[in-house]
Amino acid sequence: MKKSSKSNILKTYFHYVLKRKWLYLIVMLSVLVIAFLDGYYPYLSGNIVDRLNISAFEDGGRLILTLLLVLFLRGVFEEILYYLEGLIDLTLLDREPRIDYVKKIQSLDFKFHSSKSTGSLISISSRINNSLNTLFNNLNIWGIIHLVDVSVSTFFLYKVSPLVALIFLSTITISVIVGYPLLKWNVRVRKRFVDEGDKIGGVISDNMIGFETVKAFGQEEYEIERLEKRFDKWQKEGMKYLITFRVFDSTIYIITLLSTALIIYLAYSRVIEGVWTTGMLVTVIGYATNMIWKSFNIVYKAKDFMKASVDLEKFVKVMDTEPSIAEKENAKDLGDIKKGISFKDVSFTYTESDDGEEKTYVLEDINFDIDLNQTVALVGKSGSGKTTLAKLLMRYYDVDNGSIEVNGIDVRDLKIKSLRKGIGLVPQDPVMFNESIKYNISYGNPDASIDRIKSAAKSAALDRFIDSLPKGYDTVVGERGIKLSGGQRQRLAIARVMLENPEIIIFDEATSQLDSENERAIQEAFKNLTEDKTTVVIAHRLSTIMHADMIVVFDEGKIVETGTHSDLMSKKGIYAMLWKLQTEN
Ligand SMILES: Nc1ncnc2c1ncn2[C@@H]1O[C@H](COP(=O)(O)OP(=O)(O)O)[C@@H](O)[C@H]1O
Ligand SMILES: [Mg+2]
């Protein structure tokens, strides 16, 4: 499993970086030129020293010009490289993957969203660019520069002294071999460090979303303590992470320093013995001092790769998540509505059961039909599964057994968008965007004229409230709609659906937070809206649904009674009892 995720990480990386192949090719060309020039430079400078010694001055002059040319070319290619690198970073490694990430999260189903941590997902998003850029900059550019540079250096060193070339290459190899386990240790520790960091993000976002609860219970200090505890853990891992670096650095430093000393000693004695020229000494010292930071860099690039992999792993994991609600390839459009809705032997549970364990269903053996243009009411105690049934109808989840048909088509055979556009849902607890009232009402129909928006608001008995606001329809409602009351949010959600005017409507306790005055004001509009529509009304207050064509009574996920108001009253069952309770109060 680990292997496949590594290859997925590389696949993801190359998917983005290769989106503009020409850019990538020019970058790679610059990389090769720079690497070659870097490897050549000490050899060239040694040669110059020798030419000066034997006073072949013209020759030396030409070499100095070559040296200047090398420096000039290196500068030019480095500029090209930095510019293109920045360009690729901005577009291919930042904008695109982060948009893809949000697209992916949008496409995921309710199962994913109800167990996600917004804070962690945001932390992951903020690290995508950094880690892709690390792969690009450190591995693909500098990693390659160093490797090519080492090969070129070894080649020129060999021309001076095969022994020194051997020591040079061995030192770098030993650094990598010794460095590798230290690196793995470093990356392991870092993973724990990053995980703790993500959890901090989770606590912070939880805190911000739930601020009202925090304040209501006066738990500010408790929340800060919770945060501090998280930070304690994070810091503990962070300290360990710091130590891994120091151990790693010192080890590599000691190895390379010893080897540098050996090389310089060798070269120096050869010159004293008169076997080597001064130029050879200059060349060898040049390569030897480079060796220290080259070893560091190579091992560090490898480490950065692993580090970036850990970060990208989480991104790739989200990108690889398959939504369990998927559209079939030959999915159909809802089309003209000619039939109602039927629930056939529907059973459902939120939890995935372990094999062999008996399931406790949230809904069990649900069977009933809603004829075209009928209004059916669902009633029952809280937690009896009414909202869940509405979610199944919208195909937020798939049924475990049985089927749900809309317009005679199984919802699993429909295009998801077509199904959801065809059904207007006023949810139990509507959430708004932190935008204007106008924007929120017209969310499903952004092109609606202001007149239509106003008339929808009027039908939802929201017009007087909006007109009383200094900014009217341009008033911004706050995050999640926090500046509105529960009842205002509900009426806004109703206006939204009125504007959309869909063929099928679900009201999930849509008026539960309205006072009787507002409710009465809306009833008339409801009647107009639902007259020639198929409607599901989930209601707590039975007086609001007594005129429904059929009332379905739920208890603990099962249907216990069905019929009209008068049928159910004469049955003297649960419904009659609930009715009695409500009218007596
Ligand atoms: N996302 C979820 N994950 C797990 N259980 C859930 C989820 N949503 C609702 N439930 C459970 O399903 C049951 C039915 O809930 P719901 O359909 O909202 O009831 P109702 O709308 O009738 O009050 C409850 O026991 C509730 O705890
Ligand atoms: Mg409910």
Side-chain angles (χ1 to χ4, degrees), residues 268-400:
Y268 195 69
S269 8
R270 291 291 141 86
V271 176
I272 299 284
E273 288 162 15
V275 189
W276 280 16
T277 62
T278 328
M280 287 163 93
L281 177 71
V282 169
T283 298
V284 166
I285 289 182
Y287 283 118
T289 43
N290 274 354
M291 183 177 66
I292 296 185
W293 69 267
K294 260 172 212 159
S295 299
F296 262 111
N297 268 308
I298 290 176
V299 188
Y300 258 94
K301 298 311 160 196
K303 190 194 72 67
D304 282 337
F305 168 70
M306 287 197 221
K307 176 181 119 187
S309 308
V310 172
D311 287 353
L312 272 184
E313 220 170 89
K314 294 189 170 186
F315 167 62
V316 171
K317 206 171 143 204
V318 172
M319 295 306 280
D320 282 350
T321 312
E322 287 297 334
S324 56
I325 304 291
E327 192 169 279
K328 285 191 182 162
E329 232 166 68
N330 49 355
K332 296 179 196 131
D333 274 312
L334 197 50
D336 287 340
I337 304 282
K338 298 208 177 78
K339 287 185 187 165
I341 299 166
S342 32
F343 294 93
K344 294 180 178 165
D345 302 322
V346 170
S347 297
F348 175 75
T349 174
Y350 285 102
T351 47
E352 262 149 69
S353 70
D354 299 323
D355 280 336
E357 216 170 285
E358 200 168 313
K359 281 187 182 179
T360 44
Y361 286 110
V362 171
L363 287 169
E364 198 171 350
D365 293 329
I366 303 299
N367 275 295
F368 69 97
D369 293 337
I370 305 173
D371 290 339
L372 189 66
N373 300 344
Q374 258 199 349
T375 295
V376 167
L378 312 183
V379 302
K381 275 186 257 164
S382 136
S384 56
K386 305 175 304 284
T387 298
T388 304
L389 196 75
K391 286 181 177 164
L392 293 178
L393 183 56
M394 297 289 276
R395 209 180 164 214
Y396 291 168
Y397 297 90
D398 272 338
V399 297
D400 293 341

Side-chain angles (χ1 to χ4, degrees), residues 216-261:
F217 286 89
Q219 288 294 59
E220 287 90 345
E221 275 166 34
Y222 167 77
E223 284 297 328
I224 295 298
E225 258 172 46
R226 195 157 81 103
L227 188 61
E228 281 187 338
K229 269 191 199 136
R230 277 273 154 241
F231 266 110
D232 285 346
K233 284 192 177 161
W234 171 81
Q235 193 175 326
K236 217 171 100 195
E237 294 302 331
M239 303 290 265
K240 283 188 212 155
Y241 184 49
L242 280 182
I243 288 173
T244 63
F245 274 107
R246 303 287 57 91
V247 172
F248 178 80
D249 278 10
S250 332
T251 311
I252 303 290
Y253 202 74
I254 289 170
I255 294 173
T256 45
L257 201 63
L258 285 176
S259 159
T260 307

Side-chain angles (χ1 to χ4, degrees), residues 108-145:
L108 291 174
D109 48 46
F110 273 62
K111 223 171 230 162
F112 174 86
H113 281 279
S114 44
S115 54
K116 75 185 171 193
S117 154
T118 306
S120 301
L121 285 179
I122 289 174
S123 301
I124 294 171
S125 153
S126 62
R127 275 198 301 264
I128 296 172
N129 171 245
N130 204 317
S131 32
L132 283 175
N133 184 271
T134 303
L135 287 191
F136 181 52
N137 190 334
N138 291 359
L139 180 81
N140 215 310
I141 296 181
W142 289 102
I144 291 185
I145 289 188

